[in-house]
Amino acid sequence: MREQVDATCFRHPLFGGYGEHLDLMTATRWPDIEALNARMPPSGHRFVMEDAALLADGLHYEARIAQGRIATRAENWHDLFNAMVWMRHRALKHALNQQQCRHIARMGTRERSPAQQALTQFDEAGVIVQVREAALLDLWDRHDWASLFHANAGRWRSGDIVVAAVVGHALMEQMLVPGRLLVGKCLVVLGDPVDGVARVANAISAGAILVTPAELRPLPLAGIPGWHSGQSETFYAQGDYFRPLRNGRVYPRPL
């Protein structure tokens, strides 16, 4: 319930890109549909209340978005966070919707392709990470978590490796529960681009990425310096969270 959530959780770096919408999360009352639409940049998309009357049209959720209508449930954290991502990263969300609709048109609504699974996983738990040097990516490739996070903590602070955007609204919802150790499903941009998020959105729109869930790199978010208290070598030795690389697992090249 809204009144049961400790508002200090919204100070976590996971919400760092959404500071302008902090009041939507912390106000005593839930924002209504009109309040959400007032925050939406001009885009051709708007939030509409998901109720029995809306669902009676029989349309798929993604098909409705393609018409410019984003079904949103009242007083619902999951849908509020989804709305915030739309406000902040509209081009990215639009690209995800375009690809979902393309696959639905080909396969129908009863089955889901590997690409649809990848698109959904990124939509729900996605994180975009920018890495300046390939050596850091090599540590990630090998799941050498202690080296990636602990030994190279300064590289995270200097921006050599950085979370460019958290776009998974299910991740945000999980942050409401104290103590959760979350894992992001990541796409990586190599180098120092002006806008890594735009590069990812363009690649999704072109169908160049997210054709299989195997493209998504797991990242134990609690390992990022400053994202969890008590980060020590012992903390990074928790094999049930900082999992070793699975035999045969190979990650794709970054963007």
Side-chain angles (χ1 to χ4, degrees), residues 18-140:
Y18 299 91
E20 63 186 301
H21 304 304
L22 181 63
D23 61 305
L24 297 177
M25 298 178 273
T26 59
T28 304
R29 298 175 61 87
W30 284 95
D32 57 22
I33 291 294
E34 290 73 19
L36 296 180
N37 280 320
R39 302 286 186 97
M40 188 68 156
S43 62
H45 288 88
R46 62 188 180 89
F47 304 107
V48 295
M49 181 66 67
E50 181 178 310
D51 54 20
L54 181 72
L55 297 178
D57 63 14
L59 290 177
H60 191 282
Y61 172 79
E62 299 288 352
R64 239 183 253 110
I65 293 177
Q67 295 180 349
R69 298 180 296 154
I70 306 166
T72 304
R73 291 167 291 185
E75 300 186 6
N76 183 282
W77 283 112
H78 191 84
D79 287 10
L80 173 60
F81 294 138
N82 183 53
M84 287 165 43
V85 181
W86 270 101
M87 295 169 193
R88 183 72 178 82
H89 300 294
R90 190 200 68 83
L92 181 69
K93 295 287 281 187
H94 181 54
L96 290 169
N97 173 249
Q98 281 182 317
Q99 290 301 314
Q100 288 280 16
C101 289
R102 185 172 69 84
H103 290 287
I104 290 170
R106 181 170 60 87
M107 297 191 62
T109 58
R110 293 189 177 184
E111 297 182 19
R112 289 171 57 81
S113 68
Q116 284 177 278
Q117 295 172 18
L119 292 162
T120 298
Q121 287 184 26
F122 184 70
D123 192 28
E124 296 286 348
V127 178
I128 298 172
V129 179
Q130 293 182 196
V131 183
R132 286 179 179 164
E133 295 183 18
L136 291 170
L137 197 59
D138 181 60
L139 297 175
W140 193 348

Side-chain angles (χ1 to χ4, degrees), residues 127-138 140-141 161 186-193 196 199-200 203 208-210 214-217 250-255:
V127 178
I128 298 172
V129 179
Q130 293 182 196
V131 183
R132 286 179 179 164
E133 295 183 18
L136 291 170
L137 197 59
D138 181 60
W140 193 348
D141 284 342
I161 179 170
C186 300
L187 292 172
V188 178
V189 179
L190 185 62
D192 195 11
R199 187 184 291 189
V200 169
I209 59 174
L210 294 183
E215 293 179 46
L216 293 166
R217 292 167 172 265
V250 177
Y251 295 113
R253 294 175 59 84
L255 290 173

Side-chain angles (χ1 to χ4, degrees), residues 120-199:
T120 298
Q121 287 184 26
F122 184 70
D123 192 28
E124 296 286 348
V127 178
I128 298 172
V129 179
Q130 293 182 196
V131 183
R132 286 179 179 164
E133 295 183 18
L136 291 170
L137 197 59
D138 181 60
L139 297 175
W140 193 348
D141 284 342
R142 293 186 279 110
H143 284 208
D144 186 352
W145 303 119
S147 296
L148 178 66
F149 293 127
H150 190 62
N152 284 284
R155 308 291 292 277
W156 287 88
R157 298 187 184 101
S158 69
D160 287 338
I161 179 170
V162 63
V163 172
V166 174
V167 299
H169 51 287
L171 280 179
M172 299 179 192
E173 185 178 21
Q174 291 296 316
M175 276 299 298
L176 301 176
V177 182
R180 284 278 171 89
L181 297 178
L182 306 181
V183 177
K185 299 284 188 175
C186 300
L187 292 172
V188 178
V189 179
L190 185 62
D192 195 11
V194 175
D195 192 341
V197 179
R199 187 184 291 189

